[in-house]
Amino acid sequence: MSDINKLLNPAQWKGNIFNGQWHAAQGGSLTVREPATGEVLAEIGQANAADAEQAIQSAVAAQRAWAAVPPRERAAIFRRAANILQAHFDELVMWVVRETGGIVPKGQLEINEAIELFSMAAAMQHENQGIVLPSAAGRLSYAKRVPHGVVSVISPFNVPLVLSMRAVGPALAAGNAVVLKPDPQTPVSGGLMIAAVLQAAGLPEGVLHVLPGGAEPGSVLCDSPLVKMIAFTGSTAVGRLVAEAAGRHLKKVTVELGGKSPLLILDDADLDVAASNAAWGAFLHQGQICMASGRILVQESIAEEFTRRLVAKATHLPVGNPATEQVALGPLISERQRDRAHAIIQDSVKAGAKLEAGGTYDRLFYKPTVLSNVKPGMRAYHEEVFGPCASIITFKTDDEAIAIANDTEYGLSAGIITADVGRAMRLGERIDSGMLHINDQTVNDECCNPFGGRGCSGNGGNVGGPSAWENFSQLRWVTVQSAAHPYPF
Ligand code: NAD
């Protein structure tokens, strides 16, 4: 039932995808379910390869006119979009909560970040868009930022609005057209919401396309020579396929991938604060965060007491439906994710890890889990769980802590909790990660910071803040003389 005071109208999406207007998908329909209850939230269109091809053609046709829209007009569209999000704040928060299974503050964070990202897109219209270069007298030499053309954004299910918007915002701001493929489990927060906001804000038709669907439309976007850049966020396995396809076509690609981020608790840490940081870093959004504190490295002399305090937290955190109850953890997104997390935890216990708390579930609600005695060779030591699991590993010396912290193929975030900032800075210098937080856990993101990982966590492409212009445009060198001069021959 649609309500004219609401921004989102599920009737509009029935069987439809978005190209500036809502139109029938050729790939059939997709049912969106609330993970906490299994209730159907929406029936939307599912994009197939043909839909993706059409979207790309239409985006190519719209892009040059969009790049030529005067900066003030573009800025006004983004400002209106930010205002529309603000005006419908509560309505949109509850969509994010119900569709992703995240708690209300996480839903609020997503809408607030999207508002900031639209505001930043507006502000980008008034920034310098190039540089004047030194050259011979009478010769003007400059480098001007130009858009790539069509940019494709592929995003995951966990923080769908922010992870789509952090690329859609700067890509549109830099004058690109965008074809966005959200995850089929969270297509409303990851795509249709953005379409509805930008349609209401007056974005010209064809500049943004939203294709809910899976690998089929996704691989068309990666393989099309007409798509000049891919901004991918998701798993390392799929990121590899995306980067391979981009390499074949010599297109620009940013891959923001998985992690197994270390949180170091040094022997001088306040243990209550350290346990709180570890619980937040490991259990927030049920551990379904790329920057989750996937390994808790604790100095041996405090390990027993620290574990006791973390277990006390884990066993008292309420788990339930975040749309109807005051909880700290909601459901995991799917049975597939739950079964994978459960298998990693069980296999690690079989291999000798000690189950201190949790390790059980009811439907998609997984209990906050604490494993101690986690060692190399166990799945919980090496693999991203993407579930609420704190894996405790002990170390004796600072050198040993660094060796363990770097004993991973990933390199996304790292955190160090200590009373000695100098010691933390020396340790931090030696940890191979794209992001480092001293006296904080590993889950941190503000849309103004460059966000990116190393190794299997990504190609260091970075999104956010200073990376916006760098990634979503190219510097084009231009020289101008008043008349052509003859050369020696
Ligand atoms: P996933 O890789 O399975 O899916 C991500 C997106 O890729 C989805 O939209 C999916 O439909 C699409 N996709 C799947 N196959 C494709 C193909 N062949 N070609 C093109 N697109 C394809 O990711 P997931 O498991 O759903 O998400 C969780 C993962 O994402 C975790 O590993 C997590 O760490 C990572 N992640 C990373 C960041 C970051 O910024 N580094 C942020 C959030 C999540």
Side-chain angles (χ1 to χ4, degrees), residues 101-336:
I103 56 176
V104 172
K106 183 255 183 195
Q108 292 168 333
L109 177 137
E110 289 219 48
I111 307 298
N112 277 326
E113 287 298 283
I115 291 170
E116 288 299 316
L117 284 158
F118 275 129
S119 306
M120 286 171 68
M124 279 173 71
Q125 307 311 311
H126 302 294
E127 288 169 5
N128 292 344
Q129 299 187 5
I131 38 177
V132 178
L133 301 161
S135 195
R139 188 180 195 240
L140 172 62
S141 173
Y142 64 93
K144 181 183 179 212
R145 293 227 164 259
V146 293
H148 298 303
V150 175
V151 171
S152 180
V153 177
I154 301 177
S155 60
F157 69 82
N158 58 341
V159 194
L161 177 61
V162 172
L163 298 177
S164 293
M165 268 302 303
R166 71 181 184 180
V168 170
L172 290 177
N176 301 284
V178 171
V179 183
L180 165 63
K181 197 208 75 58
D183 190 281
Q185 297 165 105
T186 52
V188 176
S189 314
L192 302 184
M193 192 181 282
I194 298 169
V197 170
L198 281 169
Q199 187 183 34
L203 186 76
E205 221 168 281
V207 176
L208 173 71
H209 296 258
V210 180
L211 303 175
E216 183 182 331
S219 46
V220 170
L221 299 175
C222 297
D223 282 329
S224 169
L226 297 176
V227 173
K228 302 299 182 191
M229 176 187 176
I230 306 275
F232 174 85
T233 305
S235 63
T236 299
V238 176
R240 233 183 259 283
L241 298 175
V242 168
E244 274 168 16
R248 254 195 322 278
H249 295 283
L250 303 178
K251 65 176 75 174
K252 187 175 171 88
V253 63
T254 57
V255 286
E256 301 289 346
L257 310 174
K260 190 72 181 164
S261 298
L263 172 61
L264 279 60
I265 315 285
L266 307 189
D267 54 5
D268 58 1
D270 175 315
L271 290 187
D272 284 329
V273 172
S276 167
N277 273 262
W280 184 265
F283 302 147
L284 185 66
H285 198 37
Q286 298 77 262
Q288 301 169 117
I289 298 185
C290 54
M291 308 158 268
S293 304
R295 292 172 300 152
I296 316 285
L297 276 57
V298 187
Q299 199 144 14
E300 209 170 70
S301 56
I302 55 163
E304 201 180 317
E305 183 53 27
F306 167 82
T307 303
R308 198 181 64 71
R309 294 185 201 204
L310 181 58
V311 167
K313 274 197 186 298
T315 47
H316 287 96
L317 288 174
V319 184
N321 181 349
T324 56
E325 300 163 56
Q326 279 274 347
V327 291
L329 284 83
L332 292 171
I333 193 74
S334 65
E335 287 178 7
R336 186 172 151 264

